[in-house]
Amino acid sequence: MAKITLVDDDENIVTSVSLALESHGHTVKAYYDGAAGLAALENEPPDLAILDVKMPRLDGMEVLRRLRRASDVPVIILTSKDDEIDEILGFNLGADDYIHKPFSQRLLIERVKAVLRRSGVDGEDAQTSAAQAAEASARAIKRGKLTLDPARHDCLWDGKPVKLTVTEFLLLQALAQRPGFVKSRDNLMDAAYDDQVYVDDRTIDSHVKRMRKKFREVDPEFDAIETLYGVGYRYRET
């Protein structure tokens, strides 16, 4: 089904998580420190990465920070810290989901399924996936300087590529589908997350902030995502 890279220095966690994922048909490659994990992620990008926060050589946040310079591979963060600030930092760096230790195998599998589904890797047969890709390509969105191609997960601004994570892409797609219309944070949560995944308003704000930064690296004058304080966000076609 999916190729998953697991990076955690706890041998027991690696063993239990690997067995759980493999029992559901996934292929798992495990690494026990952040530096080795980052090298593997850069050399052979998987369908999903699962990163622990506290690791030797490079911690999970630094691995995520460096990974996001060139990759939009979906990332789930594992942490034993019950720290809201730490969680917000992970989302600011581009994490797609967050799981606190200890966690059940059932919760892990459901979160993995949710992230893979959002990224288009859900174990469907090739014929069905090809048909869906063709349908999605036909629904490519063009709004002024913006072009979004869901089938290829491509985002262009004025012809220049902008690398978005799965979550960022889904949020932008939800906004760009109806330019000028306000999307509340709840609307955006529904567009980007499955029902079983709870996120708060600040998570959406973190994703939008990161999206704006990426677009402004391509175009310093980018202002297409507008904030309506106390209401939500809307896409302004330029």
Side-chain angles (χ1 to χ4, degrees):
M1 290 179 66
K3 296 182 294 182
I4 298 176
T5 296
L6 170 63
V7 190
D8 194 312
D9 63 335
D10 187 322
E11 187 172 351
N12 291 329
I13 293 286
V14 169
T15 299
S16 62
V17 169
S18 296
L19 287 173
L21 293 172
E22 288 168 353
S23 70
H24 283 74
H26 303 299
T27 301
V28 181
K29 290 188 177 181
Y31 301 89
Y32 291 88
D33 69 76
L38 178 62
L41 288 166
E42 291 177 334
N43 292 332
E44 191 178 351
D47 297 310
L48 171 69
I50 301 176
L51 307 177
D52 186 30
V53 172
K54 296 180 66 177
M55 292 187 293
R57 300 179 69 188
L58 288 177
D59 66 29
M61 293 302 185
E62 185 60 25
V63 172
L64 178 58
R65 188 193 312 275
R66 297 188 188 187
L67 181 65
R68 282 292 179 252
R69 293 173 183 170
S71 174
D72 57 2
V73 61
V75 172
I76 295 176
I77 294 289
L78 303 180
T79 182
S80 55
K81 297 179 180 178
D82 189 13
D83 189 337
E84 188 178 72
I85 294 176
D86 194 51
E87 185 171 342
I88 292 172
L89 174 60
F91 283 122
N92 273 328
L93 293 174
D96 292 274
D97 205 349
Y98 215 98
I99 303 178
H100 292 287
K101 298 177 183 178
F103 53 85
S104 68
Q105 290 188 359
R106 181 178 178 182
L107 172 64
L108 172 73
I109 294 301
E110 289 303 316
R111 292 293 182 91
V112 166
K113 284 170 59 178
V115 173
L116 289 174
R117 189 181 306 117
R118 285 153 49 199
S119 67
V121 181
D122 55 8
E124 295 182 20
D125 61 78
Q127 184 175 1
T128 302
S129 296
Q132 288 181 334
E135 182 182 355
S137 182
R139 297 197 305 268
I141 298 172
K142 294 187 178 180
R143 300 285 185 263
K145 295 180 180 181
L146 176 69
T147 301
L148 288 176
D149 186 343
R152 296 179 177 84
H153 192 76
D154 284 342
C155 174
L156 300 176
W157 181 259
D158 202 15
K160 300 174 183 177
V162 180
K163 294 189 71 65
L164 300 177
T165 67
V166 172
T167 305
E168 292 164 356
F169 191 96
L170 291 171
L171 291 173
L172 181 58
Q173 184 178 10
L175 289 167
Q177 282 173 339
R178 300 190 71 189
F181 285 80
V182 178
K183 291 278 188 179
S184 70
R185 290 172 177 81
D186 286 342
N187 294 150
L188 293 174
M189 289 178 199
D190 291 341
Y193 291 91
D194 282 24
D195 290 341
Q196 70 267 30
V197 178
Y198 172 76
V199 296
D200 63 21
D201 290 354
R202 283 171 292 185
T203 299
I204 299 299
D205 294 341
S206 295
H207 285 307
V208 171
K209 179 181 177 181
R210 183 172 172 81
M211 269 197 294
R212 284 176 172 149
K213 181 180 179 181
K214 290 182 177 181
F215 277 98
R216 285 169 182 162
E217 288 173 354
V218 173
D219 178 3
E221 302 301 319
F222 175 82
D223 61 355
I225 301 175
E226 295 183 319
T227 301
L228 282 80
Y229 292 99
V231 181
Y233 296 95
R234 68 181 170 196
Y235 183 84
R236 184 174 66 85
E237 190 167 352
T238 57

